[in-house]
Amino acid sequence: MQNSFQIENPNPSFLETSRRDFWWIEPFFTAIGLLAFVIYSTWAAFQNEHYQWESYLSPFYAPLLEYDWWPFSPAFLILWAPAGFRLTCYYYRKAYYRSLFLTPSACAVGGRPQNYRGERFLLLFQNLHRYFLYIALVFCVILSYDAYISFTFKDGLGIGVGTVIMTLNAVFLTAFTFGCNSLRHLVGGNVDCYSCVNFGHQRYQAWKFVNIFNMNHMMWAWISLFWVGFTDLYIRLVSMGIITDYRIL
Amino acid sequence: MSETLFKIFRGERAKGELCGYSVEVTEGMVVLDAINQIQARHANDLAVRWNCKAGKCGSCSAEVNGKPRLMCMTRMDELPLDKPVIIEPMRRFPHIKDLVTDVSLNYEINQQIRPLKPKPREADGTYRMQQKDIERIQEFHKCIECFLCQNVCHVTRDQQVQEFAGPRFFIRIASLAMHPLDTLNRLKELKDVFGIGYCNITKCCTEVCPEDIAITDNAIIPLKERVAGAFYDPLALLWRSLTSVSK
């Protein structure tokens, strides 16, 4: 007999757990991934150069809003929207509540001691996720248009490595946006009886369609996050002359 | 066949200690088999609650190596047997004895939920529902009330928030709120009485559910979206005030 202790501890100490697996791996690498993206995207937004090459435009600067009255990088005029969309996204909420706020860092692991209020008071702004969704849907169109434009070069139509990267960027961001829980709610999730309302069948089909992307929302969240940063990096390096854009066609 | 050391919490009213027992592990064994073996050979007075041994009654919930699980659905070959296997009762609930806890709090919360109030029957005295109207809530009816989700949720387990119903009951409320026949508006009580705003979507309830119910994605998030639409969406509020339409 050993290890005498009390159970039903009303205030488990921070990170207290009986778990023996490597529960810290997921929050650790999630924190690294999120912080790396935030640091890189902030740096890239402050650069205010090397965001364009021929028909390629970095997604951090799309749509390109250059005004005389705005003395800062044009990236700051648009980045608040995708940042707000991801900040209020239900998946990212799980990711940063676990990995950055440690409430809790993993299941059955003691959370950070605090006066816990949940998503109330200041965090009520999370409920505005649907408004960021509306803007994100517009961004899907803008980035798809930029991807379309990337097929044009000085000597006519063509396909470069950057074209493929920008097209995939639009696809990944659209897949992430189409799996949004707010979109799922708005297209049909708020209906209790599809056979009782106007356009019920269409709303049911739309809800089922969004479910396809929603089931892998976390995967699309990470793929699109990584790829949007990679797209900016690729265009930046080509623009700086460090690498050459290879023409496929 | 191999010998494995089990350390099981023994004691009453939250005071006790981990006691070691040696178990012969054979192919196909689950943790509950080991507990039964310990009861038969070493500790006849070991208190443990179990019934079906098929993952359907929800009785044998415990914490196996720190993870909330059903003992009857945890295969021994999933566990690292080179170290002692630690079995503890669910930490969220008041302890009674050994692996048995008092889960009656859950039944008290359940009684606060208003039951289904169906719309009037059709002219022929029946209710008609189409599959597409009902399929979403069929998932919620798989719940076996093991209360592992209630146990693991940090809002109740760590933060001890009293105004929070917990995942199991959000599932029940979702099964009623999304029911095509239900006539009650449950959103205000979801916000004010059952405290859905305390949930911060960390999805531990989904991780531990032995029935693989997507508790967070299919019940809690849709309910949060409904509450957001009813109370926090400024344009929706403006529209409702202009048209004086309320659900």
Side-chain angles (χ1 to χ4, degrees):
Chain A
M1 294 195 179
Q2 51 191 305
N3 295 349
S4 181
F5 68 102
Q6 267 206 317
I7 59 164
E8 198 209 336
N9 186 345
N11 292 302
S13 58
F14 184 41
L15 301 183
E16 178 194 337
T17 185
S18 301
R19 284 181 64 167
R20 295 201 177 149
D21 55 336
F22 298 107
W23 57 266
W24 50 269
I25 284 181
E26 186 183 328
F28 177 74
F29 283 104
T30 302
I32 291 211
L34 293 176
L35 291 174
F37 181 80
V38 169
I39 291 167
Y40 176 76
S41 58
T42 307
W43 174 81
F46 270 107
Q47 291 308 298
N48 200 10
E49 58 181 353
H50 300 303
Y51 51 79
Q52 239 177 339
W53 183 82
E54 287 213 4
S55 58
Y56 299 165
L57 174 64
S58 162
F60 289 167
Y61 288 77
L64 191 53
L65 304 175
E66 290 177 314
Y67 300 107
D68 293 338
W69 52 265
W70 182 253
F72 308 107
S73 165
F76 292 114
L77 286 174
I78 54 125
L79 275 185
W80 60 270
F85 184 54
R86 290 191 190 259
L87 192 69
T88 56
C89 163
Y90 284 97
Y91 165 67
Y92 282 107
R93 277 142 84 170
K94 171 196 168 188
Y96 62 72
Y97 284 138
R98 279 199 187 193
S99 62
L100 301 179
F101 293 96
L102 309 177
T103 53
S105 47
C107 305
V109 175
R112 190 166 53 87
Q114 58 174 319
N115 182 19
Y116 181 78
R117 291 178 167 182
E119 293 194 321
R120 300 156 76 246
F121 302 98
L122 284 177
L123 289 181
L124 280 178
F125 82 91
Q126 305 278 31
N127 290 302
L128 298 178
H129 183 52
R130 59 188 62 184
Y131 288 94
F132 288 110
L133 164 70
Y134 304 145
I135 302 170
L137 288 169
V138 175
F139 270 80
C140 289
V141 175
I142 291 168
L143 292 173
S144 299
Y145 177 74
D146 285 346
Y148 164 72
I149 293 295
S150 73
F151 284 85
T152 57
F153 293 86
K154 285 174 182 167
D155 56 348
L157 287 176
I159 298 176
V161 172
T163 310
V164 175
I165 290 173
M166 287 184 67
T167 305
L168 285 175
N169 181 54
V171 168
F172 293 154
L173 283 169
T174 304
F176 170 58
T177 307
F178 273 39
C180 169
N181 283 287
S182 285
L183 182 65
R184 190 181 183 218
H185 169 78
L186 294 166
V187 299
N190 55 352
V191 177
D192 294 335
C193 180
Y194 295 105
S195 59
C196 314
V197 298
N198 292 331
F199 302 105
H201 180 69
Q202 288 77 11
R203 299 192 71 179
Y204 174 68
Q205 292 298 336
W207 177 74
K208 298 265 281 188
F209 177 72
V210 173
N211 280 352
I212 295 169
F213 295 98
N214 181 263
M215 278 189 290
N216 296 305
H217 200 40
M218 179 182 85
M219 180 187 79
W220 291 120
W222 279 108
I223 289 176
S224 63
L225 188 78
F226 170 77
W227 204 261
V228 75
F230 176 66
T231 306
D232 176 86
L233 179 66
Y234 180 83
I235 295 170
R236 186 169 299 280
L237 293 178
V238 171
S239 168
M240 293 169 76
I242 295 173
I243 60 172
T244 305
D245 182 57
Y246 181 71
R247 280 288 288 276
I248 301 168
L249 281 174
Chain B
M1 188 183 299
S2 63
E3 291 279 323
T4 296
L5 181 63
F6 271 67
K7 287 189 174 176
I8 300 176
F9 185 84
R10 302 294 310 269
E12 290 186 43
R13 306 286 170 204
K15 288 188 170 54
E17 53 205 354
L18 288 175
C19 300
Y21 301 99
S22 182
V23 172
E24 284 179 16
V25 176
T26 54
E27 193 178 350
M29 267 180 83
V30 294
V31 168
L32 186 58
D33 290 323
I35 296 293
N36 287 342
Q37 192 185 115
I38 291 167
Q39 264 188 329
R41 297 183 185 176
H42 306 294
N44 305 132
D45 60 341
L46 172 66
V48 57
R49 190 184 279 134
W50 69 278
N51 192 6
C52 74
K53 203 172 167 278
K56 289 297 165 198
C57 71
S59 301
C60 62
S61 302
E63 301 196 2
V64 180
N65 282 348
K67 280 188 177 177
R69 308 183 72 164
L70 289 181
M71 289 191 286
C72 69
M73 300 302 287
T74 306
R75 295 176 60 92
M76 290 299 299
D77 56 16
E78 293 173 19
L79 305 173
L81 300 182
D82 53 329
K83 295 175 183 170
V85 178
I86 295 178
I87 313 288
E88 297 163 286
M90 290 192 284
R91 285 176 172 249
R92 163 66 184 99
F93 304 113
H95 188 231
I96 297 176
K97 186 182 178 191
D98 300 340
L99 299 179
V100 178
T101 53
D102 178 5
V103 294
S104 58
L105 167 70
N106 296 297
Y107 303 114
E108 292 165 18
I109 298 172
N110 197 39
Q111 285 191 327
Q112 294 178 46
I113 300 173
R114 291 184 291 168
L116 185 81
K117 187 179 179 189
K119 61 188 180 187
R121 291 176 186 274
E122 295 180 24
D124 60 0
T126 63
Y127 290 120
R128 287 188 178 81
M129 292 176 285
Q130 294 192 17
Q131 177 59 29
K132 65 184 174 190
D133 296 328
I134 206 78
E135 72 180 16
R136 188 168 35 164
I137 64 172
Q138 284 176 324
E139 178 189 16
F140 307 145
H141 294 167
K142 292 195 301 180
C143 178
I144 57 174
E145 295 202 317
C146 60
F147 302 126
L148 287 174
C149 57
Q150 295 289 106
N151 174 51
V152 80
C153 176
H154 78 105
V155 182
T156 54
R157 182 184 177 104
D158 296 355
Q159 314 297 346
Q160 304 275 315
V161 175
Q162 302 297 316
E163 312 85 41
F164 180 71
R168 188 288 169 262
F169 301 104
F170 292 134
I171 282 207
R172 169 133 197 266
I173 294 168
S175 75
L176 296 165
M178 297 176 189
H179 197 291
L181 297 180
D182 191 44
T183 55
L184 296 178
N185 184 341
R186 303 168 186 275
L187 298 181
K188 184 157 176 45
E189 62 207 47
L190 251 176
K191 180 172 83 77
D192 296 335
V193 179
F194 299 116
I196 196 165
Y198 282 102
C199 171
N200 65 344
I201 326 284
T202 45
K203 294 197 178 186
C204 285
C205 50
T206 304
E207 275 188 30
V208 302
C209 180
E211 286 292 314
D212 292 327
I213 301 171
I215 301 173
T216 323
D217 284 322
N218 291 346
I220 296 178
I221 291 176
L223 290 176
K224 271 177 156 299
E225 278 297 310
R226 288 177 180 216
V227 168
F231 300 103
Y232 303 116
D233 184 334
L235 287 184
L237 291 171
L238 180 66
W239 175 255
R240 275 197 294 272
S241 67
L242 291 176
T243 58
S244 298
V245 174
S246 59
K247 188 181 173 187

